[in-house]
Amino acid sequence: MKARVVGDVSMLPDGAFGSRTPIWWGLICFILIEGGGFALACGAYFFLMSHTEPWPPSRFPPDLPAGIAFTALLLLSEIPNVFTKRAEKAQDERATQLGLIAASFVGALLLAIRWFEFHSLNVRWDDNAYGSIVWALLFLHTVHLITDWADTVVLAVFTFTHEVDTNRFSDVADNSLYWHFVVIAWLPIYALIYWVPRLAG
Amino acid sequence: MSAAYPREVGAKEAEALHAQLDATWRTGTGFWDRLATVDHKIVGRRYIVTGFVFFVLAGILAVLMRLQLATPQSGLISADRYNQIFSMHGTTMMFLFAVPIMEAMGVYLVPLMCGTRNIAYPRLNAYSYWVYLFGGVMIWVAFLLNVGPETGWFSYVPLAGPEFSPGKRTDFWAQMITFTEVSALAVAAELIATILKQRAPGMTLARMPLFLWSILVTSVMILFAMPAVMLASSFLISDRLIGTHFYNPAEGGDPLLWQHLFWFFGHPEVYIIFVPALGMVSSIVATFAQRTIFAYPAMVMALIGNGLLAFGLWVHHMFATGLPRLGNSFYTSASMTIALPAGVQIFCWIATLWDGKPRFKAPLLFVLGFVVIFVLGGLTGVMLASVPLDLQLHDTYFVVAHFHYVLIGGAVFPLFGGFYYWFPKITGRMLSEKAGAWNFWLFFVGFNVAFFPMHILGLIGMPRRVYTYPAGLGWELWNRISTLGGLVIVVSVLIFIGNVTVSLRRGALAGDNPWDAATLEWATTSPPPSYNFAHIPVVTTREALWSEDRPVMEGLKSESREVLCTSVLDAEPDMRHASPKPSLWPLFTALATSAMFIGSIFHEWALVWGSLPIVVGLIGWLWPTTPPKRQLEAAT
Ligand code: HEM
Ligand SMILES: [Cu+2]
């Protein structure tokens, strides 16, 4: 049968932003998966908490300074993140590079503080179930932190070595979106690790 | 190019276009080309074949179990070996056969049904296949080396904990979970993006074939269900390897945490297997009745309802654990409501067949077998949803009978129907109808002979997971009959394999659309060319190929890989999108992933060092295809 052509798509753009691209949907799936994992881990926390009296069993909740410093800096990290996102939307190459470099440095600093957080938990993962779940939550979040930080660094390098086109800008935009997720996911975990033991104990 | 539309494509022009597209999309025949391919049809085919091989392997284990149980106090298999065999049978069937093969059918069919050139994220697709393959090989090698899983397909703690399952057996099982879930999640994301963004222009959500709906619902379920089992098995392996106490009651942990997390996944798992099967059934029923599916909106709602309800029900696997009373009644009624969407769909299929002109070919036979068996399985399911009865029958062969009715009736029969239905598309040749009828009847009869007696065995007290039983309990006869039925199934599956082998070479040529079906995969040649469609099909009705008019669109590049993206709801053409070229990086990354997963069974720091090669692999994989700046500067 002969094909009857009714239209031409060659005029359509070959790149776009946000929900118009398949990548964005992939990222949303990824965030749902990871968000589901976090939610279940938080559920496991409460499940274990309901069995243990007192909580934490040692009565020593984690020390606050590292956690507070981390949370404050994480919230501040939204400044370079949003700045970068704006620069990408405007397709401004210089500003994008600047934003990515800033975000990379903040990310490295966050990881350094995270190291101290692990040392201020006042419990080991193999002490008891409380220790296990607290370590698990912090570990899970750290994996995401590292992943997105590595992605940011690699993207920053790309903007120096490679021509930046719409698709690259769009990648950077998706990276910013993922960072939002890393920030938002931290808040409940922060509450569970640092505050619930204080309020419950 | 300012052609006036509509216009017809001349023969010369069509030929030139085919040649150009073929050069752009073809997978080379060299060894490395094959490993690097990202063609969803080739990957999908590998996935289907691998899944079927695991079905046969797990089937062999089933036969071994049946032979052992055919006589009381049989010495064929030792207790320890039997533990590994039933664990491997259940594990392989659920994690390496049923879920992957359903997704594999999606990987092959979804892009074709959407009218697009390749799946979304084709490299991720290649990666997911390799990870799945390596995970499956790992667990089977472990099994053959006598370190196979031994604690059943749901590995309850404390039995699976460090105290009662020492050694590495359960660690391999837990990492098998990680392998298969990584790959299942990747495929789910690909299928969702493909269905939402790459449908043919005009294929609005309301015109989407039910198979696509079923795959969409399944994939979303996978996104929500699989993280639970990954979390559960990560907790398990860390309890076993680095001394955490998630499941250890002595230190504030709780074995019930495992059960909650596992069944939060495990119950939807059954629907993850079952919902794609419903999509296959709908495809087959519409085609063989030659009529649009009765009450399409109700069918869509039922699929979605299945997906939603499936998440409320996990606790019914835990009635025997002594949960609060009110909770139990709630879950009983919820478990019974799930009968509703299933009932709606069965009613609609029967109505469709009633009103159509059914042709009783092999695919439809399997569908009818499905309806009969599934209704029986559903009945025993509703029985088990009542708490007092469940307490009585828990862990008996009654349960074994029930879930095989549901799983084999609900998934394996539709799947075989799907094999007969789509084999011509995939290979270009028809399967033999005569062998198909033998295949079906032997399977149907053998199945009932094998599994119906298990209901009785359960009622008269035979527990599941026993490697033998003493004589004189009245179990001998029913067990012997059951084993006979199992052997009949073996013959039936052998006939199927023979049918495939012979038909691949000598089957009748299929042509584009041998069944006169309505969906887009039948609009292209059988087997489809590497680029699927020379022009992008345009859809104007729900049954695209049953209308006289076959409009298409042009304008995607033919000298580089491009797919068309359309809007989510109305499938309006929106942008052209570059589709990745073949690459060996997904294979490399999958090997690195496997090394990390397996390494971490032996040393926890493998998790850290092992992730470095993965990072290298990912960077190579995602390396931009735009030219480096230095090159651009040199050129000017
Ligand atoms: C085709 C013929 C099959 C036969 C003859 C068969 C036979 C058996 C037998 C005898 C058991 C009981 C083991 C015991 O409790 O001691 C069993 C368990 C099981 N079977 Fe099958 N089976 C077949 C197909 C399937 C299929 C297609 C699936 C899934 C898609 C499946 C999933 C399971 C599961 C999950 C278990 C439970 C394993 C456990 O207790 O951990 N089987 N099967
Ligand atoms: Cu269930």
Side-chain angles (χ1 to χ4, degrees):
Chain A
M1 193 194 310
K2 273 191 184 161
R4 194 170 70 87
V5 184
V6 297
D8 181 11
V9 298
S10 62
M11 306 314 190
L12 296 176
D14 62 358
F17 279 95
S19 64
R20 289 172 66 191
T21 65
I23 299 294
W24 187 86
W25 287 93
L27 190 68
I28 293 297
C29 289
F30 194 67
I31 288 178
L32 282 178
I33 295 168
E34 304 296 312
F38 278 134
L40 287 161
C42 293
Y45 177 101
F46 284 114
F47 187 79
L48 292 170
M49 183 175 154
S50 71
H51 293 328
T52 303
E53 188 67 41
W55 185 260
S58 67
R59 294 185 186 279
F60 288 112
D63 302 332
L64 284 174
I68 291 178
F70 180 89
T71 311
L73 187 61
L74 189 67
L75 290 173
L76 287 176
S77 76
E78 279 291 356
I79 295 173
N81 191 34
V82 170
F83 172 81
T84 319
K85 198 166 188 168
R86 296 241 167 95
E88 294 137 12
K89 282 267 159 70
Q91 313 224 349
D92 178 340
E93 184 169 343
R94 274 272 154 265
T96 307
Q97 287 174 340
L98 201 70
L100 284 172
I101 292 178
S104 305
F105 274 107
V106 176
L109 200 56
L110 283 169
L111 282 169
I113 304 178
R114 179 50 57 85
W115 176 264
F116 291 101
E117 282 191 87
F118 276 110
H119 287 278
S120 45
L121 290 179
N122 290 328
V123 69
R124 274 171 57 98
W125 64 89
D126 54 1
D127 284 347
N128 47 43
Y130 163 78
S132 307
I133 190 70
V134 168
W135 274 78
L137 285 172
L138 202 56
F139 177 80
L140 267 182
H141 189 261
T142 307
V143 170
H144 290 77
L145 197 62
I146 295 177
T147 314
D148 200 39
W149 177 70
D151 191 40
T152 309
V153 172
V154 171
L155 277 174
V157 172
F158 279 169
T159 58
F160 284 94
T161 60
H162 282 72
E163 189 60 17
V164 185
D165 59 10
T166 317
N167 284 320
R168 192 70 31 222
F169 277 120
S170 162
D171 282 355
V172 180
D174 292 339
N175 183 55
S176 307
L177 174 61
Y178 189 64
W179 188 258
H180 288 324
F181 170 68
V182 172
V183 172
I184 292 171
W186 170 247
L187 299 177
I189 295 178
Y190 173 62
L192 288 192
I193 294 179
Y194 291 96
W195 293 99
V196 171
R198 287 194 155 67
L199 302 177
Chain B
M1 205 184 5
S2 62
Y5 294 112
R7 73 181 185 88
E8 299 232 318
V9 180
K12 261 240 177 68
E13 185 192 340
E15 208 170 298
L17 180 65
H18 281 282
Q20 173 77 62
L21 282 168
D22 187 55
T24 305
W25 287 90
R26 189 184 45 221
T27 297
T29 47
F31 176 68
W32 296 107
D33 290 329
R34 286 171 201 259
L35 292 184
T37 189
V38 292
D39 183 336
H40 76 98
K41 297 178 294 301
I42 298 178
V43 175
R45 224 161 52 204
R46 285 178 189 164
Y47 242 121
I48 296 171
V49 172
T50 312
F52 189 78
V53 169
F54 282 122
F55 171 71
V56 170
L57 288 173
I60 293 173
L61 298 182
V63 171
L64 289 176
M65 287 190 288
R66 280 315 326 161
L67 290 177
Q68 163 78 5
L69 296 176
T71 50
Q73 278 164 340
S74 156
L76 193 62
I77 301 173
S78 71
D80 178 61
R81 180 69 74 186
Y82 191 88
N83 286 344
Q84 288 185 66
I85 288 181
F86 79 69
S87 302
M88 274 303 277
H89 166 77
T91 298
T92 304
M93 283 293 190
M94 300 301 274
F95 294 103
L96 298 173
F97 160 67
V99 175
I101 207 162
M102 292 297 173
E103 287 197 294
M105 296 296 274
V107 166
Y108 191 97
L109 292 169
V110 163
L112 288 166
M113 262 192 209
C114 287
T116 186
R117 292 199 166 150
N118 204 350
I119 197 166
Y121 334 129
R123 289 186 180 178
L124 186 65
N125 191 34
Y127 171 80
S128 79
Y129 171 72
W130 296 121
V131 167
Y132 157 65
L133 177 69
F134 298 152
V137 169
M138 173 201 74
I139 197 76
W140 270 82
V141 168
F143 171 62
L144 295 177
L145 296 176
N146 200 22
V147 273
E150 58 182 352
T151 53
W153 86 278
F154 42 70
S155 273
Y156 273 3
V157 288
L159 183 64
E163 202 176 331
F164 297 103
S165 178
K168 294 286 172 204
R169 287 178 173 180
T170 301
D171 301 317
F172 278 106
W173 183 87
Q175 282 312 50
M176 179 281 309
I177 295 285
T178 319
F179 276 97
T180 51
E181 307 314 272
V182 164
S183 97
L185 284 165
V187 175
E190 296 153 17
L191 292 172
I192 290 175
T194 310
I195 294 176
L196 292 183
K197 288 308 298 174
Q198 294 184 204
R199 297 198 309 279
M203 191 191 284
T204 62
L205 286 186
R207 289 186 192 140
M208 234 164 70
L210 287 169
F211 182 77
L212 290 183
W213 272 111
S214 74
I215 294 286
L216 183 62
V217 169
T218 308
S219 303
V220 173
M221 288 172 72
I222 289 179
L223 293 191
F224 285 102
M226 299 285 176
V229 72
M230 280 182 77
L231 194 69
S233 69
S234 307
F235 285 174
L236 175 63
I237 205 165
S238 77
D239 268 13
R240 296 173 51 86
L241 297 179
I242 58 169
T244 55
H245 300 288
F246 293 105
Y247 305 126
N248 177 8
E251 291 291 349
D254 188 343
L256 276 186
L257 178 60
W258 169 269
Q259 294 200 21
H260 278 296
L261 286 174
F262 188 87
W263 288 117
F264 186 82
F265 141 84
H267 181 80
E269 164 97 335
V270 175
Y271 290 84
I272 287 167
I273 295 168
F274 173 53
V275 172
L278 297 177
M280 294 178 193
V281 170
S282 287
S283 303
I284 294 172
V285 166
T287 297
F288 288 88
Q290 288 287 300
R291 185 203 186 286
T292 57
I293 285 284
F294 182 80
Y296 172 93
M299 294 294 276
V300 173
M301 292 320 293
L303 283 173
I304 297 174
N306 256 327
L308 291 177
L309 281 176
F311 279 94
L313 301 184
W314 78 92
V315 175
H316 68 193
H317 295 269
M318 299 164 60
F319 285 153
T321 56
L323 294 163
R325 218 129 285 203
L326 177 69
N328 274 352
S329 326
F330 169 76
Y331 285 108
T332 296
S333 40
S335 300
M336 293 189 175
T337 24
I338 195 120
L340 283 177
V344 167
Q345 301 198 51
I346 289 182
F347 174 76
C348 291
W349 291 319
I350 293 178
T352 308
L353 286 171
W354 200 272
D355 192 52
K357 313 176 268 305
R359 293 174 291 171
F360 292 93
K361 304 273 185 169
L364 190 58
L365 290 183
F366 276 101
V367 163
L368 297 179
F370 146 77
V371 172
V372 172
I373 297 175
F374 188 73
V375 167
L376 285 172
L379 287 180
T380 50
V382 172
M383 285 168 73
L384 286 174
S386 105
V387 176
L389 210 59
D390 182 66
L391 289 180
Q392 180 66 27
L393 295 170
H394 189 80
D395 271 343
T396 68
Y397 260 85
F398 191 89
V399 174
V400 178
H402 158 68
F403 66 68
H404 283 90
Y405 266 78
V406 177
L407 288 168
I408 297 184
V412 178
F413 271 73
L415 184 68
F416 270 78
F419 287 160
Y420 277 87
Y421 181 58
W422 280 296
F423 186 87
K425 179 50 62 187
I426 299 176
T427 66
R429 290 179 186 273
M430 310 294 290
L431 284 167
S432 151
E433 270 297 319
K434 200 155 160 222
W438 276 100
N439 181 188
F440 167 73
W441 283 110
L442 287 175
F443 209 149
F444 185 77
V445 172
F447 170 79
N448 283 295
V449 173
F451 290 98
F452 194 81
M454 290 190 193
H455 291 116
I456 301 167
L457 281 168
L459 287 171
I460 58 180
M462 177 162 168
R464 67 191 281 202
R465 294 178 168 179
V466 287
Y467 80 107
T468 192
Y469 51 93
L473 294 172
W475 301 349
E476 290 95 331
L477 176 67
W478 297 116
N479 269 309
R480 197 153 319 142
I481 294 178
S482 171
T483 301
L484 262 172
L487 294 176
V488 176
I489 300 179
V490 171
V491 176
S492 156
V493 173
L494 286 176
I495 290 179
F496 174 73
I497 295 173
N499 194 356
V500 168
T501 321
V502 174
S503 300
L504 271 178
R505 278 180 213 101
R506 272 182 268 147
L509 288 179
D512 292 5
N513 190 359
W515 311 117
D516 196 8
T519 39
L520 287 180
E521 76 273 28
W522 304 100
T524 186
T525 52
S526 311
S530 53
Y531 46 89
N532 288 355
F533 301 91
H535 295 99
I536 301 308
V538 174
V539 170
T540 51
T541 65
R542 205 174 281 148
E543 276 75 28
L545 303 192
W546 286 348
S547 74
E548 286 301 307
D549 189 29
R550 301 272 182 89
V552 297
M553 280 193 180
E554 65 183 359
L556 283 184
K557 281 190 186 149
S558 52
E559 67 284 355
S560 71
R561 294 178 174 225
E562 257 187 8
V563 295
L564 179 69
C565 291
T566 51
S567 62
V568 172
L569 300 180
D570 296 328
E572 303 270 8
D574 183 39
M575 65 180 260
R576 293 171 295 121
H577 190 64
S579 180
K581 291 211 261 297
S583 159
L584 283 169
W585 285 110
L587 174 58
F588 175 86
T589 313
L591 284 167
T593 310
S594 309
M596 178 180 88
F597 288 168
I598 297 175
S600 66
I601 295 177
F602 298 95
H603 205 286
E604 62 271 16
W605 282 97
L607 224 46
V608 176
W609 306 126
S611 58
L612 296 180
I614 298 182
V615 172
V616 173
L618 285 174
I619 292 178
W621 170 343
L622 297 171
W623 197 258
T625 46
T626 47
K629 275 190 181 158
R630 253 177 292 121
Q631 211 169 308
L632 281 180
E633 276 155 22
T636 49

